[in-house]
């Protein structure tokens, strides 16, 4: 338990960004990977070249020493006398390994490391009388300078390889990142309902790689989902259409029943079924994306006030903060407005406040707020909300409101209201639905203005 508590404490001290996970792009991942690989290859090649050059130069130095000692041996055997500088007979500092090889009757060379780090080049040869002739010299300064210059060139080359690899990684990763971002943007457009968008066409390019395979898979999935949703929509619309006639007949027959509690229950249920059928048909029409708005110029604040007053807006307060003229479909706007008011009246307590400010209409209630899944995902059919906000209905009111808003080119948002300074887990003190009407007529939705003849 103590370990768990300490772990939780350390996680609490970490920044929230690190707790969620670091976000890095493909471009920088590829760049870092290429830079690391380039650095490893450059270091490995530098070590190989350095060692190969050192061994080659030492071999050359040993060959030179071997030639020198052979020349001096012949002169010493022929004439005797003094030896050149660096040559000695029976040198006591002769390395043991070299001494043993020379005593065995073999001419040999040897390399030893001095305290200064500069190699010493030895050569020894046995003389006829049992003595050993040897020569000893340091690795030449010129050779040392050549090795230093080579090491410097290898370091510069390794740095150039790392930076060149990083630049190449940025270019390659940037191209892949752009393709992936285009694919993600196209996929988001498909998710928003634009069925004509194709991810493969969005990323473009001549070279075919795994990104194209991903795009084709996403397009195939989108097509399959579209076909499935279209099939479900047709089935739902057909069922609702087939139910409309018998439900209408049932409602008409209920009107002929004698007055009383049983007939009231039958009429109430028949009317509820008829409302459900009409709502299902409307949702099916909105899903088909075939709905078009009939645009008119209206004064928004006056329109909202008159419609609410005509419906008997008891318990509803209307506040026109700023009047504005808008071009929209009055019938669809009224549908959105009264669906929002019906939802507030069903799940909250009065007063319900409606405010109009420019092109924005807000509907606020004082209930327990919208459920979290609705705030995250938006309205969903046949989902009536959490238990604290449940009531009669089938969850189609807000779905229809959102669909009609799309036809108008408007934006419908939902949020909960909490007291200022209240902690995050505090229950909501109300819900607000905000309708943002577009500044220009929504011609991109296929809507058209109504031309009134004189």
């Amino acid at each position: 338990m103590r370990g768990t508590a300490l772990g939780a404490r350390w996680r609490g001290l970490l920044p929230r960004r690190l707790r969620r996970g670091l976000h890095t792009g493909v471009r920088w991942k590829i760049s870092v990977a290429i830079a690391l690989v380039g650095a490893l290859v450059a270091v490995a090649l530098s070590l190989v070249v350095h060692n190969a050059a050192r061994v080659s130069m030492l071999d050359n130095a040993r060959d030179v020493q071997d030639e020198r000692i052979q020349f001096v041996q012949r002169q010493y055997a022929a004439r005797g006398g003094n030896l050149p500088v660096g040559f000695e007979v029976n040198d006591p500092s002769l390395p043991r390994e070299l001494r043993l090889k020379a005593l065995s009757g073999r001419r040999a060379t040897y390399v030893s490391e001095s305290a200064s780090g500069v190699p010493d080049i030895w050569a020894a040869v046995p003389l006829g009388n049992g003595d050993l002739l040897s020569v000893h010299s340091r690795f030449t300064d010129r050779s040392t300078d050549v090795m230093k210059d080579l090491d410097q060139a290898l370091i510069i080359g390794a740095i150039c390889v790392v930076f060149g690899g990083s630049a190449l990684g940025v270019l390659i990763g940037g191209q892949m990142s752009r393709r992936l971002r285009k694919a993600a943007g196209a996929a988001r457009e498909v998710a928003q309902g634009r069925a004509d968008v194709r991810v493969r066409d969005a990323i473009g390019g001549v070279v075919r790689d795994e990104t194209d395979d991903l795009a084709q898979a996403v397009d195939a999935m989108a097509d399959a989902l579209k076909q499935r949703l279209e099939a479900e929509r047709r089935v739902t619309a057909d069922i609702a259409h087939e139910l409309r006639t018998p439900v209408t007949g049932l409602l008409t027959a209920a009107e002929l029943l004698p007055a009383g509690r049983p007939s009231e229950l039958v009429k109430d249920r028949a009317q509820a079924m008829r409302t459900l059928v009409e709502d299902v048909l409307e949702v099916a029409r909105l899903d088909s994306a075939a709905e078009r708005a009939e645009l008119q110029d209206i004064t928004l604040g006056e329109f909202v006030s008159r419609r609410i007053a005509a419906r008997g807006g008891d318990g509803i307060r209307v506040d026109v903060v700023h009047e504005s003229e808008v071009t929209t479909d009055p019938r669809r706007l009224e549908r959105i407005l009264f669906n929002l008011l019906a939802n507030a009246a069903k799940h909250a307590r009065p007063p319900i406040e409606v405010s109009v400010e420019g092109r924005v209409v807000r509907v606020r209630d004082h209930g327990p707020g919208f459920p979290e899944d609705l705030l995250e995902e938006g309205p969903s059919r046949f989902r009536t909300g959490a238990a604290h906000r449940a009531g009669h209905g089938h969850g189609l009111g807000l779905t229809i409101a959102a669909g009609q808003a799309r036809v108008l080119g408007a934006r419908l948002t939902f949020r909960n209201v909490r007291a200022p300074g209240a902690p995050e887990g505090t229950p909501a003190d109300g819900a607000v639905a905000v309708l943002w009407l577009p500044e220009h007529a929504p011609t991109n939705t296929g809507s058209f203005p109504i031309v009134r003849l004189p």
Side-chain angles (χ1 to χ4, degrees), residues 111-358:
V111 178
S112 64
E113 296 289 342
S114 64
S116 61
V118 179
D120 291 334
I121 312 300
W122 296 79
V125 62
L127 299 175
N129 56 2
D131 294 335
L132 297 178
L133 175 64
S134 63
V135 61
H136 167 224
S137 62
R138 292 286 181 91
F139 199 51
T140 61
D141 294 338
R142 181 175 180 276
S143 299
T144 304
D145 294 338
V146 169
M147 288 300 300
K148 290 181 179 179
D149 294 339
L150 177 63
D151 292 340
Q152 184 178 3
L154 291 175
I155 293 175
I156 296 175
I159 294 175
C160 292
V161 168
V162 171
F163 280 100
S166 300
L168 180 62
V170 170
L171 293 177
I172 297 176
Q175 182 181 6
M176 182 175 295
S177 178
R178 284 192 298 271
R179 289 168 64 85
L180 290 175
R181 290 182 185 278
K182 289 180 180 179
R188 280 192 291 268
E189 292 183 5
V190 172
Q192 293 172 359
R194 294 193 55 185
D196 58 329
V197 175
R198 287 293 176 268
V199 179
R200 178 64 192 84
D201 297 335
I203 61 176
V206 179
V207 180
R208 297 291 183 264
D209 55 14
E210 289 78 2
T211 310
D212 296 270
D213 298 336
L214 175 63
Q216 292 176 2
V218 173
D219 289 339
M221 180 183 66
D223 292 337
L225 289 175
K226 179 183 176 182
Q227 294 174 2
R228 181 175 178 180
L229 292 175
E230 180 63 22
E232 292 179 356
R233 186 197 64 79
R234 286 198 302 267
V235 170
T236 303
D238 292 343
I239 293 175
H241 183 74
E242 293 298 327
L243 287 175
R244 173 186 283 180
T245 300
V247 168
T248 302
L250 179 61
L251 189 60
T252 303
E255 296 292 339
L256 303 178
L257 294 176
R261 181 59 178 168
S263 62
E264 292 179 0
L265 291 176
V266 172
K267 293 177 183 178
D268 180 69
R269 292 299 87 197
Q271 183 61 45
M273 185 175 294
R274 180 178 182 178
T275 302
L276 173 61
V277 170
E278 296 295 337
D279 287 347
V280 170
L281 283 173
E282 185 172 358
V283 169
R285 289 194 300 268
L286 292 171
D287 287 343
S288 67
E291 292 287 282
R292 299 292 182 263
E294 300 176 355
L295 303 176
Q296 299 181 29
D297 293 332
I298 64 172
T299 304
L300 185 58
E302 179 185 357
F303 174 84
V304 171
S305 301
R306 285 193 291 106
R307 288 296 190 272
I308 293 178
R311 289 285 186 97
D314 296 334
I316 301 176
R317 294 203 303 239
V318 181
D319 182 18
V320 180
V321 180
H322 175 65
E323 189 64 276
S324 176
E325 289 189 359
V326 297
T327 302
T328 187
D329 188 330
R331 180 179 63 85
R332 298 182 188 277
L333 177 58
E334 183 178 359
R335 179 69 161 151
I336 297 172
L337 176 63
F338 282 106
N339 277 20
L340 296 178
L341 292 175
N343 182 79
K346 187 182 301 181
H347 299 293
R349 59 181 182 272
I352 300 173
E353 302 172 357
V354 179
S355 64
V356 180
E357 185 174 357

